[in-house]
Amino acid sequence: MALPLKPPVLPQLARSRSALPGGDGWAFEPKWDGFRCIAFVDGGAAHLQSRNGRDLTRYFPELRFAAGRYVLDGEIVIHGEGHEEFDLLGQRIHPAASRVAMLAEKTPATYIAFDLLARDDDVLLELPYLERRAALESFISDPVELTPMVRTAAEAEHWLREAEGVIAKEAAAVYKPGERVGMIKVKRVRTIDAVVMGWRPGKAENTVGSLILGLYDEAGKLHEIGHSSGFTAREKRELVGKFGPYETGERGSGEPSRWSQGRELEWVMLRPELVVEVSFDHVSDGRIRHGAKVQRWREDKAPQECLLGQLDA
């Protein structure tokens, strides 16, 4: 490709924070639940590169870009009902071209642009973010989508409830490929009360590695919705004794998936009498992904009150 930037170009990354920054020197965008992607476009050809420098082009044949010579930073997403379908993206990483083509037609992806890194023969990395954003707004066209942007934290707050979170960018920051500078991410953090269905042993003997969490549907059936982690070494030992009186003598097992990566999935089943409040930041296909963190035990909460509807809130 005859472009002033050539792959691989690693994307600029964000530092994690718990709250949005204040002041006038920031711009705010929604955080998307997809694959970060640098798009290199030369004429009618496009090369799609992952955040780690890998070639994604063959997995998303349906993505189209306006003809020209430019480089975009953005996200590949599959839009669902009010959220992005991250699990469907994962299904695209498949060796069979026929399967990729079938999925591209059945669940087409979209490219959402949030930065312009090069245009024609000009590299824009040294321009301040707001100048790159203005260039992107005047340049981008269908079928590529332009991510929304606002200038105050107050205007961005709703993305902490309705999207995956917020990306805050320093208005005057230049683009530093591969570096965690000039950007802050604040993830959407949610809490639910869940039933402890069981526990999975830890790596050390006689310790708890994680809790198996469940929620009831309206018919009274208990569904496994994920697991928790994040206990201290002392808590991992003490929980074995706490759970002893509730053990049923049965074992449960999770269905193998790409998330488990071959790890042991068997767990010790408990009577559904314990309730715990957990925090998490992501739900996909009715399950908590990326784990959850225990906040407190809810002795005051009846297990039957822990309903699946909490995941939709």
Side-chain angles (χ1 to χ4, degrees):
M1 288 184 164
L3 295 170
L5 287 176
K6 292 179 172 55
V9 174
L10 299 183
Q12 184 173 342
L13 302 174
R15 295 163 290 156
S16 294
R17 293 289 185 270
S18 59
L20 297 177
D24 298 330
W26 295 90
F28 304 86
E29 302 171 0
K31 184 179 183 298
W32 298 99
D33 192 19
F35 287 173
R36 185 78 175 272
C37 176
I38 306 293
F40 300 83
V41 180
D42 187 5
H47 172 83
L48 306 179
Q49 176 215 293
S50 77
R51 62 176 288 167
N52 297 320
R54 297 177 179 175
D55 188 354
L56 294 174
T57 311
R58 69 177 298 270
Y59 302 118
F60 297 96
E62 75 276 26
L63 291 181
R64 297 289 183 267
F65 298 83
R69 297 175 57 241
Y70 54 93
V71 180
L72 299 173
D73 185 4
E75 196 106 353
I76 300 173
V77 305
I78 294 178
H79 289 302
E81 294 293 330
H83 60 88
E84 295 81 62
E85 299 283 359
F86 186 82
D87 279 2
L88 296 181
L89 281 179
Q91 294 177 18
R92 293 294 189 89
I93 311 304
H94 196 280
S98 59
R99 177 171 174 79
V100 170
M102 180 270 291
L103 292 173
E105 182 177 355
K106 184 178 179 181
T107 54
T110 300
Y111 189 88
I112 301 176
F114 41 70
D115 216 326
L116 180 62
L117 308 186
R119 181 177 55 188
D120 297 325
D121 293 321
D122 298 322
V123 176
L124 309 183
L125 302 183
E126 294 300 319
L127 293 181
Y129 163 75
L130 285 184
E131 290 188 31
R132 299 196 312 275
R133 173 71 190 196
L136 178 67
E137 290 177 354
S138 65
F139 174 77
I140 207 69
S141 62
D142 291 339
V144 171
E145 295 184 6
L146 175 67
T147 196
M149 186 270 284
V150 296
R151 290 302 312 277
T152 68
E155 293 174 290
E157 282 283 348
H158 69 102
W159 288 323
L160 293 176
R161 303 184 301 273
E162 301 165 4
E164 288 299 305
V166 176
I167 301 293
K169 299 183 176 181
E170 294 180 22
V174 300
Y175 193 100
K176 295 287 188 181
E179 298 186 27
R180 292 189 184 275
V181 294
M183 298 167 58
I184 289 173
K185 62 181 176 182
V186 181
K187 292 183 178 181
R188 178 186 184 185
V189 178
R190 304 160 61 185
T191 63
I192 59 170
D193 295 322
V195 179
V196 181
M197 297 178 63
W199 60 277
R200 186 173 294 141
K203 294 180 180 179
E205 188 176 358
N206 292 322
T207 63
V208 169
S210 61
L211 307 185
I212 307 302
L213 305 174
L215 295 174
Y216 284 98
D217 62 23
E218 295 295 339
K221 181 180 178 181
L222 186 60
H223 299 262
E224 181 192 343
I225 53 92
H227 67 274
S228 70
S229 58
F231 299 110
T232 65
R234 179 178 178 179
E235 289 171 332
K236 290 179 179 180
R237 295 189 301 268
E238 293 177 343
L239 285 173
V240 175
K242 177 182 179 71
F243 292 150
Y246 298 92
E247 292 183 11
T248 66
E250 299 175 280
R251 295 292 185 269
S253 62
E255 295 183 3
S257 72
R258 69 185 186 90
W259 302 96
S260 64
Q261 298 179 338
R263 292 191 299 270
E264 176 58 56
L265 296 176
E266 187 175 80
W267 45 276
V268 179
M269 295 183 68
L270 303 178
R271 298 196 309 275
E273 299 175 13
L274 298 172
V275 174
V276 67
E277 180 183 345
V278 297
S279 62
F280 63 97
D281 60 31
H282 183 69
V283 173
S284 178
D285 196 26
R287 291 180 58 84
I288 295 172
R289 301 299 190 189
H290 311 158
K293 302 294 183 184
V294 172
Q295 301 300 308
R296 57 175 176 154
W297 294 92
R298 292 295 308 269
E299 290 85 358
D300 58 324
K301 184 97 172 191
Q304 291 76 16
E305 296 177 10
C306 301
L307 301 177
L308 280 169
Q310 295 178 90
L311 297 180
D312 301 324

